[in-house]
Amino acid sequence: MGAGRAGSLCAPSGRGKRRGAFSHRGHGMSILGELGQRFRPLLTELVDDPDPLLDLVRPSQDPALGDYQANFAMPLGKRLGRPPRQLAQQLAAALAEDPMCHPPEVAGPGFINLRLRNSWIGQRLAQAAADPRLGIPRVENPRTYVVDYSSPNVAKPMHVGHIRSTVIGDCLCRVLRFLGHRVISDNHIGDWGTQFGMIIYGWRHFLDEEAYRREPVAELARLYRLVRRLIDYHEAKSRRADVTEQLAQQEAALEANRRAAGPQPDKRTAKMLRRMEATLARTRQQLEELDRTITQTETDPALARLLDAHRDVARAVLNETAKLHAGDEENRRLWRQFLPACLEEIESLYRRLGVSFDHTLGESFYHDRLEAIVQELLDRGVARESDGAVCVFLEGYDTPMLIRKRDGAFLYATTDLATLRYRMDTWNPDAILYVVDFRQSLHFQQLFATARRMGLDKVELVHVSFGTVMGEDGRPFRTREGDTVGLEGLLDEAVRRAARVVAGNDDAKPDGPELSPAERARIAEVVGIGALKYADLSQNRTSDYQFSYDKMLAMNGNTGTYMQYAYARVRSIFRKGNVDVEALRRDPAPVRLETPAERALGLELLRFGEALELTLKDYRPNQLTGYLFGLANHYSTFYEQCPVLKAEAPELRRSRLLLCDLTARTIQKGLELLGIDVVEKM
RNA sequence: GCGCCCGUAGCUCAAGGGACAGAGCAGCGGACUUCUAAUCCGCAGGUUGCAGGUUCGAAUCCUGCCGGGCGUACCA
């Protein structure tokens, strides 16, 4: 047992039904909120609960139709048995004369098309410019969230499988906090598992004391990898015969079926044959992997001479782990000795990523609470014994959730239940988000169902699941040798490539390079890590995504690099024009929106809050990246068409500078909420 | 077998039951004596896997099929 949630490579699923992470309808400063306020009184006269209808006020997809549209006349017409267009006309009266909107137009089956007045947009922009929060209100009813993310196994190097949980979880925390919720981030690390058994075993047999004195973490990592490889080798050896036999059986079965099917098999048979072929291919591949493991180990002289003496390494490691759990003094002492170094190792990665946690309560923290939670479930009649194990049987599931093994050991589920109980007792949250890969969806379904049967039915439990990081070959991302990709190496490579991009660009500047080597290095770090995070966050989290250094560092398209460039380009205007930004913000006049480009940019700036709401609605950061990309595009168009520093009139120059400043600040804040830094020059 | 998820342009991906399904890359054509051309503008590219159904309206919801991924009692 032990070990964090991302034990191996990860992939999508599940969306929880939830309510009220935010509410835009009632309040203040968002456009949707204000439009809602206009319509609410009229709708209340017609129906008891206008909220679902107000939810049908949406941004228009086609600017030709207006800025926003109210789509509630159609369902309402159905419900009331009245012509929708007539209802639409009646409801449109809400905005017949309003400083916010031009008189609405009714179109099609009953769409109410809304166009905001430039004067209103201009005023709102001025208000946003004077506001450190850019005009984004806090939610009226803050909730308490526990966010469970990252959760690596300590003592094992972090790898590519941890990046999504870490980056998505961190982003959700930032957005929730910004909107005014109370957030408790908790890194549920695996600090009590078999990996410590491995290190202890390695320590006993292979320790290089000199190396440990010099670099304890590196030596522990070496011990871990060494023992891991010994175990993998012996496992491969013992499984090889089975897999070989399996392969032979599958080949024979396929051949027999082929013969029986004849030259023209019917559809069903053809499908079955294809399935068998696929299975066969997988088995072949499995065998190849085993052989590769075996060969690589046997041809490594340092390892080869250890193989015979450590035939029983797997059992020995489990034994060391069991002793640790049972309270063996020497193993506990070693565990306490190793843990700080391991924690420091992952901590340095988090520092580089700019990720932090309020709590790091790993599995070891819950160790002495497991017995009690099992007892509680037995007492409540939720769990019962079966085949010597303690199980929770749940309606609708073929298999029970095991919380204690026949041998008395506890499981992942046990720790999760104890953790849940602790979180409820300690923080009493309204919601807990588990940012964990989709393959664990069954586990979380069962966990949540069990929680409800424990009486924890008021808290909203959400599995924020995500897909696997794939390589460019469309298979789980691995190194050429077939190993999982280490996170550290991934960051280094991203930064290395970013450095090339930054240097190439700086060299190509019209007036010659302007960045010192130190500046270049710092910018490359920000650009490289930003690109990596953005690439991940800009994907719909539920699907697998294909990892590509080239794509994530591209200057075109929806990339972090493009966003950072957009930001740097805006900031460059202020430098070049020697503009006093503070003065500009202090007393902003309404922004003038005389050209379509200015209007489109201005309106987009006011929609930042909508993007944040949307991000939280399904816990999908790609809603935020999508918004930022759209904003940057609007800015680019504006930048091409509207001279800022050389604007014809001083007031126009001021107005455009305000648009620039708001754009820069919105991008900066948006990226910050994604956990990404900006640079002033690139 | 059962369960969960996915199938959208050549490729990688967007799209909140709403009007004509959008980007980037690749392809073609334009724009640098002007605030960073690392950019921008335009053209072309689609029966949203297939067939039904629900709805005023479906890529989106339901059913069935086809294709794929993952999971499925003592790992996490």
Side-chain angles (χ1 to χ4, degrees):
Chain A
M1 63 189 221
R5 307 191 180 285
S8 59
L9 282 182
C10 355
S13 134
R15 55 199 54 160
K17 296 278 177 251
R18 66 200 70 85
R19 48 236 122 91
F22 52 86
S23 153
H24 64 245
R25 292 192 203 94
H27 62 90
M29 292 169 91
S30 85
I31 298 172
L32 283 172
E34 293 208 28
L35 289 173
Q37 278 180 350
R38 306 293 203 280
F39 284 115
R40 180 181 291 278
L42 288 182
L43 286 173
T44 308
E45 287 175 20
L46 297 168
V47 296
D48 291 337
D49 181 14
D51 281 351
L53 293 174
L54 287 171
D55 203 38
L56 297 175
V57 182
R58 299 281 167 81
S60 293
Q61 287 190 357
D62 183 351
L65 300 172
D67 301 321
Y68 286 82
Q69 56 182 263
N71 299 333
F72 43 58
M74 287 81 81
L76 199 55
K78 193 80 180 174
R79 204 190 318 175
L80 302 178
R82 293 177 49 189
R85 281 192 65 103
Q86 190 197 73
L87 266 173
Q89 293 289 357
Q90 182 186 334
L91 291 160
L95 285 153
E97 270 181 67
D98 197 293
M100 184 180 186
C101 286
H102 294 286
E105 286 167 20
V106 174
F111 295 108
I112 302 171
N113 289 334
L114 305 164
R115 188 176 296 276
L116 299 172
R117 293 183 191 274
N118 287 2
S119 54
W120 187 87
I121 299 175
Q123 267 173 14
R124 274 306 152 94
L125 288 168
Q127 287 172 17
D131 179 4
R133 292 181 56 84
L134 299 165
I136 310 296
R138 289 188 175 79
V139 290
E140 286 180 320
N141 303 307
R143 306 173 83 207
T144 298
Y145 284 84
V146 171
V147 187
D148 178 323
Y149 63 102
S150 195
S151 312
N153 284 314
V154 305
K156 274 158 98 164
M158 279 173 86
H159 58 75
V160 61
H162 297 105
I163 186 87
R164 298 201 86 177
S165 175
T166 306
V167 165
I168 294 168
D170 181 54
C171 171
L172 294 177
C173 287
R174 288 168 185 264
V175 176
L176 285 165
R177 277 200 188 102
F178 180 63
L179 290 187
H181 295 290
R182 182 180 175 224
V183 177
I184 295 140
S185 58
D186 185 9
N187 193 2
H188 190 74
I189 56 172
D191 58 359
W192 195 243
T194 319
Q195 76 273 28
F196 280 99
M198 292 188 205
I199 298 185
I200 291 170
Y201 185 90
W203 176 272
R204 298 241 155 90
H205 296 90
F206 313 120
L207 177 67
D208 178 343
E209 288 186 35
E210 175 57 29
Y212 183 76
R213 222 170 299 127
R214 268 201 320 272
E215 276 190 84
V217 179
E219 175 60 8
L220 291 180
R222 184 189 72 86
L223 293 176
Y224 169 79
R225 277 193 298 268
L226 176 58
V227 175
R228 171 92 261 167
R229 289 189 70 179
L230 292 175
I231 292 174
D232 287 347
Y233 171 82
H234 288 299
E235 190 186 288
K237 283 290 261 194
S238 75
R239 280 188 54 208
R240 197 184 181 286
D242 281 351
V243 175
T244 308
E245 193 190 317
Q246 217 179 346
L247 187 65
Q249 276 173 9
Q250 285 172 2
E251 276 168 343
L254 178 62
E255 194 46 45
N257 275 290
R258 274 214 185 102
R259 261 200 305 276
Q264 298 261 301
D266 63 52
K267 248 187 184 162
R268 268 187 92 83
T269 315
K271 182 179 171 180
M272 182 193 69
L273 288 174
R274 277 201 305 279
R275 285 256 158 96
M276 291 181 76
E277 280 160 18
T279 310
L280 186 63
R282 270 198 294 269
T283 310
R284 274 213 187 92
Q285 199 187 327
Q286 229 181 340
L287 189 61
E288 278 167 27
E289 274 168 30
L290 292 179
D291 282 339
R292 195 163 48 231
T293 302
I294 292 168
T295 314
Q296 278 174 3
T297 313
E298 286 177 348
T299 53
D300 183 331
L303 281 170
R305 62 191 170 79
L306 303 175
L307 294 174
D308 277 346
H310 298 273
R311 283 182 180 284
D312 223 14
V313 56
R315 198 178 328 169
V317 160
L318 283 180
N319 186 41
E320 297 291 6
T321 311
K323 277 163 67 185
L324 171 68
H325 292 173
D328 176 84
E329 226 167 89
E330 175 61 8
N331 279 13
R332 283 282 175 102
R333 189 186 66 73
L334 287 172
W335 179 80
R336 280 194 298 271
Q337 181 185 328
F338 299 154
L339 190 61
C342 296
L343 288 175
E344 176 49 34
E345 176 78 356
I346 61 170
E347 200 49 50
S348 77
L349 251 176
Y350 286 138
R351 273 198 296 275
R352 194 172 176 198
L353 284 170
V355 173
S356 65
F357 300 88
D358 300 316
H359 300 280
T360 299
L361 299 177
E363 297 186 306
S364 64
F365 179 79
Y366 298 99
H367 180 244
D368 57 11
R369 299 166 189 264
L370 301 180
E371 187 61 58
I373 202 83
V374 171
Q375 197 55 51
E376 178 187 339
L377 286 159
L378 285 168
D379 290 346
R380 285 174 182 268
V382 174
R384 64 177 165 83
E385 208 179 294
S386 166
D387 263 348
V390 179
C391 304
V392 180
F393 288 90
L394 295 157
E395 204 174 328
Y397 296 91
D398 291 342
T399 53
M401 186 171 74
L402 268 67
I403 56 174
R404 190 169 64 200
K405 300 203 288 186
R406 195 180 355 218
D407 66 8
F410 302 107
L411 295 125
Y412 186 41
T414 328
T415 314
D416 266 344
L417 285 165
T419 303
L420 180 56
R421 171 58 79 202
Y422 175 84
R423 286 171 175 167
M424 294 310 296
D425 290 348
T426 310
W427 300 304
N428 192 30
D430 300 295
I432 304 179
L433 311 184
Y434 295 85
V435 187
V436 181
D437 87 82
F438 89 105
R439 292 175 306 177
Q440 295 187 37
S441 53
L442 177 61
H443 166 73
F444 283 107
Q445 281 176 29
Q446 295 189 318
L447 181 72
F448 298 166
T450 304
R452 286 189 286 275
R453 286 182 49 187
M454 284 168 71
L456 302 175
D457 51 2
K458 284 203 267 305
V459 63
E460 181 190 351
L461 299 170
V462 186
H463 177 199
V464 179
S465 69
F466 55 83
T468 306
V469 180
M470 303 297 221
E472 290 187 69
D473 57 0
R475 303 180 44 197
F477 191 45
R478 289 170 188 274
T479 64
R480 214 167 290 163
E481 290 73 37
D483 300 324
T484 59
V485 177
L487 192 46
E488 188 95 58
L490 198 70
L491 296 182
D492 288 341
E493 180 66 11
V495 170
R496 201 175 64 77
R497 292 182 185 229
R500 275 210 304 258
V501 172
V502 170
N505 177 53
D506 194 37
D507 288 341
K509 278 177 185 159
D511 303 330
E514 58 172 10
L515 301 172
S516 70
E519 281 176 312
R520 286 187 180 194
R522 197 187 60 80
I523 292 167
E525 178 80 11
V526 173
V527 170
I529 291 180
L532 186 75
K533 287 183 162 189
Y534 194 99
D536 200 323
L537 294 167
S538 60
Q539 296 289 321
N540 185 332
R541 62 173 171 77
T542 58
S543 45
D544 295 348
Y545 92 95
Q546 199 166 326
F547 185 91
S548 159
Y549 286 112
D550 288 334
K551 278 185 183 149
M552 78 187 198
L553 283 163
M555 294 307 311
N556 276 344
N558 191 7
T559 69
T561 317
Y562 175 84
M563 292 309 307
Q564 281 162 330
Y565 172 61
Y567 176 82
R569 216 161 48 143
V570 190
R571 298 293 301 158
S572 153
I573 289 181
F574 287 86
R575 266 200 312 279
K576 197 141 283 186
N578 273 319
V579 179
D580 182 348
V581 198
E582 295 303 326
L584 189 72
R585 292 174 193 162
R586 214 170 296 132
D587 186 24
V591 173
R592 295 163 53 169
L593 305 168
E594 280 148 26
T595 66
E598 286 170 291
R599 187 184 192 280
L601 175 61
L603 181 55
E604 194 69 6
L605 284 165
L606 293 183
R607 287 183 169 161
F608 187 33
E610 282 173 32
L612 298 178
E613 287 175 3
L614 217 47
T615 300
L616 289 188
K617 184 170 182 186
D618 282 315
Y619 305 111
R620 280 178 19 187
N622 71 312
Q623 295 287 358
L624 178 50
T625 59
Y627 166 78
L628 291 175
F629 181 52
L631 177 64
N633 279 334
H634 280 105
Y635 178 75
S636 286
T637 306
F638 161 83
Y639 182 85
E640 294 288 320
Q641 296 180 5
C642 304
V644 178
L645 296 175
K646 292 171 188 163
E648 305 93 83
E651 311 84 67
L652 189 60
R653 183 176 187 267
R654 264 179 71 88
S655 168
R656 288 182 175 167
L657 279 169
L658 271 178
L659 282 174
C660 289
D661 182 47
L662 273 170
T663 302
R665 290 162 69 194
T666 305
I667 292 175
Q668 188 274 328
K669 176 55 83 176
L671 289 177
E672 179 192 309
L673 294 179
L674 295 168
I676 295 171
D677 282 338
V678 292
V679 291
E680 296 297 311
K681 298 179 191 172
M682 38 184 307

